[in-house]
Amino acid sequence: MFSRILVGGLFAGFLAGAIAAVLQLAFVQPVLLQAELYESGRLVHFGAARTAGAAVETAGIDLWRDGLSVLFAILLYTGYALVLVAAMALAAERGIRITARQGLIWGMAGFVSVQLAPALGVPPELPGTAAADIELRRAWWVVTVAATAAGLALVAFGKGWTMRGVAAALILAPHVVGAPHPASFAGPAPPEIGSLFAARALGVGLAAWALLGLLGAWFWLREGNRREDAQRAA
């Protein structure tokens, strides 16, 4: 069982992370680089002209930075994949059949838990944006992810209205308490760039998690079929 989880998680995570990295470089990084021009003061907004010597171009090729971004995405989604495939293994042990369709649903649940629900309180932020204390935001993020994941699990596998009520309470609780925010909001980049950055970051996350769920289920089924074939051959 452990080797099956490990193989499925590593392969699914590597592929999903690599594709997520390509999407980030194509859609998210150009917005981030543009925001960094405002953070450095090379560009200013509110209708002001460009600062002296500032260039319009926002992107350049930085192989070291891009390489680290790719590596981080692969490691991150590999970790997510190991957790996701382990959850599939637990479900399979309890008689739940894992299919490609269910893998997609599990991937969507992972996206909602890890990215969408936390973004309702603390959306993806550009460099230089005013923000609350990092430890408070990290703690709220962890609680929100755990509560949302537990709530969705109860929605999927719980029985009766009591379980559904507990699920709703868990999902809503972090947002009722509220995410930590700074006393005032400020940032060097135009708000339009901030909203574009958040939208693209979430869009890439959605695509990556959907792929992660599909690949995780596919590798889980593939490893199971391979082991069954090996046992029959023996």
Side-chain angles (χ1 to χ4, degrees), residues 78-166:
T78 298
Y80 288 152
L82 289 170
V83 174
L84 189 64
V85 176
M88 291 179 181
L90 290 175
E93 284 288 305
R94 287 158 176 77
I96 297 173
R97 185 167 175 264
I98 304 300
T99 64
R101 178 177 177 273
Q102 284 190 329
L104 179 61
I105 294 173
W106 283 56
M108 294 296 96
F111 167 73
V112 171
S113 300
V114 176
Q115 291 189 260
L116 184 60
L120 295 177
V122 182
E125 297 169 341
L126 289 171
T129 303
D133 179 75
I134 183 64
E135 295 300 328
L136 291 177
R137 286 185 292 151
R138 183 181 293 118
W140 186 86
W141 183 89
V142 170
V143 170
T144 302
V145 170
T148 305
L152 291 177
L154 287 177
V155 170
F157 305 115
K159 298 183 183 300
W161 286 104
T162 300
M163 289 295 100
R164 294 188 181 96
V166 173

Side-chain angles (χ1 to χ4, degrees), residues 2 4 15 33 52-53 55 66 79 117-118 145-146 168 214 220 227 233:
F2 176 76
R4 189 176 175 185
L15 291 174
L33 293 175
D66 293 348
V145 170
L214 284 172
W220 172 261
R227 290 172 184 271

